[in-house]
């Protein structure tokens, strides 16, 4: 940031500044959703459509937002989502993000497609790290990544299941984005993901592609869970059906996510789907990402049953605008907004947050508090 740049006050300010800081190609890669970007827009709009019910004159002293998530102790329920190739936004890439996460005591989920090795990120970190695994084309390669994450001290595995095929990312295609040659998926030593970026010759069917043989199924999740002592979360769940399958396969946690609207367009927003998942998951922790831009969004997600949320693009905006300080500021802003919203809705701890913070017509709460 230059001296003339106005100090960003909220995540949307960072978004505008990041757009100015990045090339149009990189911006299109980071920002865009799939196809017509309906899901991308809906993720945020759905939060705005939910109204809160303030509650005043409640004692707030001694409150806190601490939680234990599958053995990972957190001061507040906001994690950094796995985002590939962070060197696109800043020369220090994931090293800068993990420095910020460490300073802010936030947990970070490191992508399989990180542009710095998972071991180097872990060496820089003094905060809990989880590793996001894209299952590889063969089990020995997947197992290699699992063992590396375990050896480097990662505390959980997040297996992403919704991006086996790239979405139709037309905005990115129009902008002509290509990954610069100095940035790569260093954890994979140049290997490509099994079925991403499939090209289909004219007149052929995608169903005939030989790469489809590398797509995974629920037996691969069962296999992965059986290979590790780490808790496994499944990321990309958008239906009660898949939530049940994930639990049957041994998942310790579920992340309701539509990949920030980057894969399949016209799915519902994650916050719209969340209650249908938490209805059937019992004690299994459910996290959510997609469209979180305000502390009030965090409060709404927790009120509807999420144990924590993850932040994707806003972290990259902070990184692009001001490196580690930008990422730390993003986390600070969101945490403070969240705590403010909690207090304004009468919540002194996470245990106080429930559906009562969501406004509903008085008829839906007959007799309560009157
Ligand atoms: C540029 C970009 C790269 C991403 N890379 C990954 C990835 O490598 N692995 C993964 O599981 N999710 C990835 N995601 C999805 C995020 O983890 C997360 O689900 C999404 O960004 C949340 O929505 P939000 O950006 O509105 O916060 C990526 C998202 C973006 C924007």
């Amino acid at each position: 940031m230059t001296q003339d740049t106005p100090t960003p006050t909220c995540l949307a300010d960072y978004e505008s500044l990041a757009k100015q800081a990045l090339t149009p190609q990189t911006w299109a890669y980071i920002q865009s959703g799939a196809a017509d970007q309906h899901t991308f827009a809906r993720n945020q709009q759905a939060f705005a459509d939910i109204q809160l019910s303030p509650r005043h004159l409640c004692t707030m002293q001694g409150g806190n937002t601490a939680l234990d998530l599958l053995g990972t102790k957190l001061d507040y329920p906001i994690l950094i989502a796995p985002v590939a190739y962070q060197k696109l936004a800043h020369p220090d890439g994931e090293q800068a993000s993990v420095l910020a996460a460490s300073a802010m005591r936030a947990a970070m989920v490191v992508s399989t497609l990180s542009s710095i090795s998972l071991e180097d990120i872990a060496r820089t970190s003094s905060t809990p790290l989880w590793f996001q695994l894209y299952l590889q084309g063969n089990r020995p390669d997947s197992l290699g990544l699992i063992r590396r994450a375990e050896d480097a001290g990662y505390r959980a595995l997040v297996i992403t299941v919704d991006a086996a095929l790239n979405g139709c990312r037309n905005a990115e295609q129009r902008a002509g984005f290509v990954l610069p040659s100095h940035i790569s998926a260093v954890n994979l030593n140049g290997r490509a993901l099994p079925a991403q970026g499939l090209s289909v010759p004219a007149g052929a069917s995608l169903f005939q592609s030989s790469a489809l043989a590398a797509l995974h199924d629920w037996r691969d999740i069962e296999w992965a869970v059986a290979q590790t002592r780490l808790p496994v979360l499944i990321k990309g769940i958008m239906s009660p059906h898949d939530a049940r399958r994930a639990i049957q396969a041994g998942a310790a946690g579920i992340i309701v996510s539509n990949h920030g609207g980057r894969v399949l367009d016209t799915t519902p927003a994650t916050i719209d789907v969340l209650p249908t998942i938490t209805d059937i998951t019992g004690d299994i922790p459910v996290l959510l990402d997609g469209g979180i831009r305000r502390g009030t969004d965090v409060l709404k997600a927790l009120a509807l049953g999420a144990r924590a949320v993850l932040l994707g693009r806003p972290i990259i905006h902070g990184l692009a605008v001001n490196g580690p300080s930008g990422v730390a500021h993003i986390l600070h802003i969101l945490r403070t907004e969240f705590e403010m919203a909690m207090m304004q809705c009468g919540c002194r701890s996470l245990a106080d947050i429930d559906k009562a913070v969501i406004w509903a017509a008085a008829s839906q709460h007959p007799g309560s508090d009157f």
Side-chain angles (χ1 to χ4, degrees), residues 29-32 40 43-44 81-85 88 111-114 132-134 158-163 169 235 255 257-262 289-293 310-314 316:
Y29 170 74
I30 285 165
Q31 196 64 15
S32 61
F40 169 67
N43 274 349
Q44 282 183 60
V83 173
Y85 307 125
L88 283 168
S111 169
T112 292
L113 302 179
S114 58
Q132 178 267 321
L133 176 69
Y134 279 127
V158 171
I159 304 184
T160 300
V161 295
D162 62 357
R169 293 222 287 270
K235 175 172 182 280
I255 305 183
S257 173
N258 51 31
H259 221 95
R262 290 167 71 77
D289 71 21
I292 300 274
R293 299 295 182 271
L310 302 94
L311 266 191
R313 293 179 185 84
I316 305 306

Side-chain angles (χ1 to χ4, degrees), residues 120-163:
D120 283 347
I121 298 168
R123 273 190 280 275
T124 309
S125 175
S126 59
T127 202
L129 297 178
W130 293 358
F131 182 66
Q132 178 267 321
L133 176 69
Y134 279 127
L135 287 170
Q136 301 294 295
N138 62 65
R139 287 183 172 179
D141 285 346
S142 297
L143 192 56
L145 285 169
I146 294 172
R147 292 285 173 265
R148 285 173 61 191
E150 288 172 344
D151 291 348
Y154 286 74
R155 312 247 185 113
L157 279 187
V158 171
I159 304 184
T160 300
V161 295
D162 62 357

Side-chain angles (χ1 to χ4, degrees), residues 51-56 58 341-346 356-359:
Q51 301 177 86
L52 289 170
S53 181
R55 197 170 278 206
H56 304 301
C58 306
M342 275 179 72
M343 292 185 196
Q344 287 161 337
C345 291
V357 308
I358 308 286
W359 182 84

Side-chain angles (χ1 to χ4, degrees), residues 40-191:
F40 169 67
R42 180 73 198 144
N43 274 349
Q44 282 183 60
Q45 187 56 46
F47 276 114
D49 290 345
I50 298 171
Q51 301 177 86
L52 289 170
S53 181
R55 197 170 278 206
H56 304 301
L57 300 174
C58 306
T59 305
M60 288 297 145
Q61 274 151 334
N64 71 79
T65 59
L67 73 157
D68 186 314
L69 213 45
L70 300 169
T72 297
K73 291 194 186 340
L74 300 174
D75 288 353
Y76 52 102
I78 301 168
L79 295 87
I80 296 184
V83 173
Y85 307 125
Q86 297 189 13
K87 277 190 180 175
L88 283 168
H90 188 275
D92 296 340
E94 292 81 0
Q95 297 275 30
S97 303
V98 83
L99 272 180
S102 300
M104 302 306 291
R105 296 191 306 281
M108 171 163 161
V109 188
V110 172
S111 169
T112 292
L113 302 179
S114 58
S115 48
I116 293 180
S117 79
L118 68 93
E119 288 86 359
D120 283 347
I121 298 168
R123 273 190 280 275
T124 309
S125 175
S126 59
T127 202
L129 297 178
W130 293 358
F131 182 66
Q132 178 267 321
L133 176 69
Y134 279 127
L135 287 170
Q136 301 294 295
N138 62 65
R139 287 183 172 179
D141 285 346
S142 297
L143 192 56
L145 285 169
I146 294 172
R147 292 285 173 265
R148 285 173 61 191
E150 288 172 344
D151 291 348
Y154 286 74
R155 312 247 185 113
L157 279 187
V158 171
I159 304 184
T160 300
V161 295
D162 62 357
L165 301 175
N166 265 335
C168 304
R169 293 222 287 270
N170 300 138
E172 196 182 302
Q173 291 161 344
R174 283 183 209 114
F177 172 79
V178 281
L179 198 61
S181 57
H182 68 283
I183 298 178
S184 65
V186 291
N187 292 322
L188 303 183
N189 296 320
R191 285 196 308 273

